[in-house]
């Protein structure tokens, strides 16, 4: 067996997701506060000894493997190619613990972890700054999932500044069988905004920044905001009932995570999060629940 490198890819929640106008390049200007969650995927990269093997092979397993591509359309494949155009044959494997197409940046986090794996396996010697530039080429959320922790994201989400955050926050994460396409949700938001059916973009992150410094989950709960939520709810009315069940079950607050359809409920502690998961999954067939803690680190190599 060839040498094996391992990495962990963490998911994220957007505590604040302010979305302004669409730009000339088709992306929307964002003002967002990201926090990494310990719900994660595990990746391996094996350097194959056989020089005649295919340059890249990819396999996927785990609870959220369904529908994840195993060809060059997967961002992990493209991440390896970005680190080195020519490289020894590698076998990549992703164990998916993060829901796919769920608004939790699972695919982006995998790409960030693959950048670190390829950098180590090929001894490419890329600095963190260089990896961040490659990450931005792969997708808007890839730079944050590489960096992790808590950060303000502007531009299309790739311009990052770390934020101070005290304490740790507990989330009940509710996933569902059917995913949502991110571009479709952004388009729906534009459509609702053109018809004056949603409010102005919320680009000011002062309140969430203050709540994070207080370390008080109740204060943080009052500041959660997602400009994509009306669009996600319009496309998926079933999410409205999930949000209601979570709040009835005692969560401090519930939001659609990113572009959805995952819903994230901020809780006081693990016991409350267990309760929320039990009640929401009982009321909403087809949903599954996970407890997440934030902040977690960015994509990291494991020994
Ligand atoms: O950057 P990424 O490939 O992850 O973005 C996927 C899609 O989400 C984009 O093609 C675009 O339609 C939408 N998007 C956007 N504005 C952003 C980020 C993503 O409109 N800031």
């Amino acid at each position: 067996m060839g040498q094996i490198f391992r990495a962990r890819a963490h998911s994220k929640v957007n505590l604040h997701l302010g979305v302004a106008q669409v730009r000339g390049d088709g992306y929307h200007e964002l003002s967002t506060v990201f926090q990494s969650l310990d719900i994660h995927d595990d990746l391996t990269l094996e350097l194959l000894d056989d020089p005649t093997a295919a340059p890249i092979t990819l396999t996927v397993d785990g609870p959220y493997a369904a529908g994840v591509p195993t060809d060059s359309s997967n961002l992990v494949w493209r991440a390896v190619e970005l680190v080195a155009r020519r490289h020894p044959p590698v076998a990549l494997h992703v164990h998916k613990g993060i829901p796919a197409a769920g608004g939790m940046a699972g695919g982006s986090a995998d790409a960030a972890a693959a950048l670190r794996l390829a950098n180590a396996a090929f001894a490419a010697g890329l600095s963190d700054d260089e990896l961040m530039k490659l990450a931005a080429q792969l997708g808007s959320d890839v730079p944050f999932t590489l960096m992790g922790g808590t950060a303000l994201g502007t531009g299309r989400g790739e311009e990052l500044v770390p934020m101070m955050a005290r304490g740790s926050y507990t989330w009940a994460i509710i996933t569902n069988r059917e995913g949502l396409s991110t571009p479709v949700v952004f388009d729906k938001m534009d459509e609702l905004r053109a018809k004056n059916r949603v409010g102005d973009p919320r680009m000011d992150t002062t309140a969430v920044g203050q709540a994070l410094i207080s370390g008080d989950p109740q204060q943080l709960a009052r500041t959660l905001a997602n400009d994509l939520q009306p669009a996600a709810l319009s496309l998926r009315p079933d999410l409205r009932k999930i949000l209601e069940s979570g709040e009835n079950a005692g969560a401090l607050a519930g939001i659609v995570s990113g572009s959805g359809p995952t819903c994230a409920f901020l809780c006081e502690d693990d016991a409350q999060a267990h309760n929320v998961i039990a009640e929401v999954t009982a009321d909403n067939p087809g949903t599954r629940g996970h407890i997440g803690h934030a902040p977690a680190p960015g994509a990291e190599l494991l020994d």
Side-chain angles (χ1 to χ4, degrees):
M1 219 162 57
Q3 195 181 358
I4 295 182
F5 296 80
R6 298 176 202 284
R8 181 155 288 174
H10 290 104
S11 56
K12 58 87 185 161
V13 282
N14 299 83
L15 305 175
H16 180 109
L17 180 50
V19 185
Q21 292 70 24
V22 64
R23 315 187 305 201
D25 62 3
Y27 287 92
H28 292 73
E29 200 65 27
L30 304 185
S31 175
T32 186
V33 176
F34 292 107
Q35 199 163 49
S36 291
L37 272 183
D38 60 0
I39 296 172
H40 60 267
D41 291 347
D42 280 321
L43 287 84
T44 56
L45 181 157
E46 182 182 355
L47 281 174
L48 301 177
D49 295 329
D50 174 6
T52 64
I56 300 177
T57 52
L58 170 61
T59 51
V60 181
D61 71 359
Y64 291 105
V68 175
T70 53
D71 59 17
S72 61
S73 66
N74 191 309
L75 285 183
V76 297
W77 190 296
R78 291 175 40 211
V80 169
E81 290 180 334
L82 267 188
V83 170
R85 198 183 288 267
R86 290 172 57 81
H87 56 79
V90 296
L92 294 165
H93 181 72
V94 182
H95 181 80
K96 292 260 1 138
I98 308 173
M104 299 184 72
S108 301
D110 292 347
L115 287 174
R116 290 216 189 278
L117 282 172
N119 193 33
F122 306 153
L126 298 173
S127 66
D128 273 0
D129 275 357
E130 288 167 320
L131 289 175
M132 285 297 257
K133 291 202 179 89
L134 297 185
Q137 290 178 42
L138 289 165
S140 307
D141 286 341
V142 184
F144 173 70
T145 53
L146 184 67
M147 169 179 157
T150 310
L152 173 68
T154 54
R156 60 185 172 93
E158 88 289 20
E159 289 169 23
L160 297 167
V161 182
M163 287 175 73
M164 281 195 288
R166 196 194 298 264
S168 158
Y169 299 93
T170 304
W171 292 85
I173 300 293
I174 304 293
T175 68
N176 37 118
R177 261 196 291 262
E178 210 188 318
L180 257 179
S181 149
T182 302
V184 170
V185 177
F186 273 102
D187 286 350
K188 187 72 184 179
M189 190 213 64
D190 289 338
E191 185 193 315
L192 294 178
R193 201 167 264 164
K195 294 180 189 159
N196 282 326
R197 300 252 300 274
V198 287
D200 290 336
R202 289 175 286 185
M203 306 305 273
D204 184 351
T205 59
T206 312
V208 65
Q210 283 170 350
L212 284 168
I213 289 171
S214 80
D216 174 8
Q218 309 231 10
Q219 191 175 332
L220 185 64
R222 287 191 290 273
T223 68
L224 299 178
N226 181 359
D227 282 349
L228 290 180
Q229 184 160 309
L233 293 179
S234 152
L235 290 161
R236 288 285 298 275
D238 56 309
L239 302 184
R240 216 176 273 280
K241 181 165 170 255
I242 294 177
L243 289 175
E244 272 171 26
S245 327
E247 288 178 4
N248 292 339
L252 300 176
I255 45 166
V256 170
S257 172
S259 56
T262 299
C263 292
F265 296 94
L266 185 58
C267 295
E268 198 77 65
D269 51 29
D270 279 23
Q272 190 179 62
H274 278 296
N275 257 344
V276 168
I277 289 170
E279 288 195 30
V280 176
T281 54
D283 284 358
N284 298 273
T287 58
R288 293 167 70 176
H290 303 272
I291 292 195
H293 300 100
E300 56 185 358
L301 292 173
L302 304 176
D303 295 334

